[in-house]
Amino acid sequence: MSLRNAACIVGAFEHPTRLAPDMTTPQLHAECAAGALADAGLSLTDVDGYFCATDAPGFGPISMIDYLGLDIRHTDSTEMGGCTYIQHVAHAAQAIAMGKCSVALITLAGRPRSEAVQRFRPGAPESAFEQWVGLTNHTSYGMCAARHMHEFGTTSEQLAWIKVAASHHAQHNPHAMLPKVVTVEDVVTSPMIADPLHRLDCCVTTDGGGALVVVSPEIARTLNRPVISLLGAGEATKGPSGGLGLDLTVSAAAKSGPRAFAEAGVTPSDIKYASIYDSFTITVLMQLEDLGFCAKGEGGKFVADGNLISGTGKLPFNTDGGGLCNNHPMFRGGITKVIEAVRQLRGEAAPAVQVPNCDLAVATGIGGSLGARHGAATIILERQS
């Protein structure tokens, strides 16, 4: 079953807070839900499908459905790390196409800064083999960056251009956690975190959250909002498979991206704006290659010299400042990637970074550990005239 034009995003909301010491996680979910529904011109009583992941407290959807006072007939608590909420858009479209629901609400929220804790997943089968050698997200992504440099001659200065581009965009976002414009020198002289990744190669950690409302095309046409249609979607996973054939320079987006583009019937060259998951600078570079915006090994040259800066380069990316500068709520940046893509397609991004005539966008993400096992989700969105 093709998802092309099966559903539309009509509501999007990003919580403005980046530090919420006096709020609860359910409260953040509820405020995000209210914001997205208000944006769509709908209410909680209209929702008949609810989507969340393990950032939701208690029993996840059971607890949140009761907390929000929803009366739903379909729920989905798929978990695939930070890219989950991109995947949820596709799953919502599937449910709508199958008649399981007609108004789907997707929420994300968390308080990692206020709680000052990092979530771990005890009991994973790989933990006994990896944790004792110190594998963390930082070291895992650092391995990928080091291997990419070894294989293709990628440099720290080239990776730094990704952060520079994000900072140029963040300066126009009043809610960005790091609104200051930085230079390549600033990045490469910042403290080393996991060689070769410096502190400014790493994303921020924030409280807050976001929400999306996905509806059937019939409902979308009755609302006084721009119609943003889902054209295509793809998802994939990748693991080390015991080390057999492991290539640290390729992500699961090498499978999710082509699947999404094929379903949408478009190519990377058609895309006007790209929301690329940016947990680290290397995450962006590898996804750009894997989605086909440039050849494998050419990512360093592609991102250099401001090629990702709106109004300067040929592929504007993460015009809200992304996870590198703006927001990475609950260690998960997927939902903000969709939110900014919707803003761009509606013409509602910050004027200084709004892409002219933006009618086609991609939102893609990685969840898990790039250098070990992870998932990827990609969606193609189009503004209907």
Side-chain angles (χ1 to χ4, degrees), residues 144-165:
C144 294
R147 190 65 193 179
H148 205 281
M149 290 178 173
H150 174 77
E151 290 280 349
F152 306 115
T154 308
T155 67
S156 292
E157 287 75 13
Q158 289 172 332
L159 286 178
W161 271 107
I162 298 169
K163 174 73 171 194
V164 170

Side-chain angles (χ1 to χ4, degrees), residues 33 37 42-51 65 68-74 101-106 212-213:
L37 288 166
L42 295 168
S43 68
L44 288 169
T45 58
D46 296 307
V47 176
D48 60 355
Y50 179 66
F51 294 70
I65 287 167
L68 294 170
L70 300 175
D71 181 13
I72 60 96
R73 56 193 179 102
H74 182 79
C101 64
S102 57
V103 178
L105 172 65
I106 304 167
L212 297 161
V213 179

Side-chain angles (χ1 to χ4, degrees), residues 105-259:
L105 172 65
I106 304 167
T107 67
L108 153 74
R111 303 172 60 251
R113 285 186 71 198
S114 294
E115 295 174 348
V117 295
Q118 168 73 57
R119 282 194 176 183
F120 294 96
R121 302 193 180 279
E126 66 272 8
S127 60
F129 301 94
E130 296 175 355
Q131 289 185 2
W132 72 276
V133 295
L135 184 70
T136 66
N137 265 355
H138 298 84
T139 56
S140 171
Y141 284 72
M143 284 194 306
C144 294
R147 190 65 193 179
H148 205 281
M149 290 178 173
H150 174 77
E151 290 280 349
F152 306 115
T154 308
T155 67
S156 292
E157 287 75 13
Q158 289 172 332
L159 286 178
W161 271 107
I162 298 169
K163 174 73 171 194
V164 170
S167 74
H168 274 267
H169 299 150
Q171 67 175 317
H172 304 294
N173 183 348
H175 302 300
M177 184 173 174
L178 301 178
K180 180 182 177 181
V181 175
V182 300
T183 66
V184 169
E185 183 179 7
D186 290 333
V187 179
V188 299
T189 58
S190 64
M192 189 70 73
I193 299 298
D195 193 11
L197 298 178
H198 300 81
R199 184 169 62 194
L200 294 185
D201 285 299
C202 308
C203 69
V204 299
T205 296
T206 54
D207 295 347
L212 297 161
V213 179
V214 184
V215 303
S216 66
E218 293 76 20
I219 290 178
R221 287 192 288 268
T222 69
L223 303 172
N224 188 29
R225 300 299 288 142
V227 177
I228 308 301
S229 294
L230 177 68
L231 288 190
E235 57 189 71
T237 62
K238 182 189 175 200
S241 301
L244 299 175
L246 177 63
D247 186 346
L248 291 175
T249 69
V250 177
S251 76
K255 292 183 178 179
S256 68
R259 290 167 183 166

Side-chain angles (χ1 to χ4, degrees), residues 7 11 16 32 41 62 70 118-119 135 166 187 301-302 319 330 381:
C32 290
I62 297 174
L70 300 175
Q118 168 73 57
R119 282 194 176 183
L135 184 70
V187 179
K301 296 177 182 177
F302 184 84
T319 45
M330 199 53 207
L381 301 174

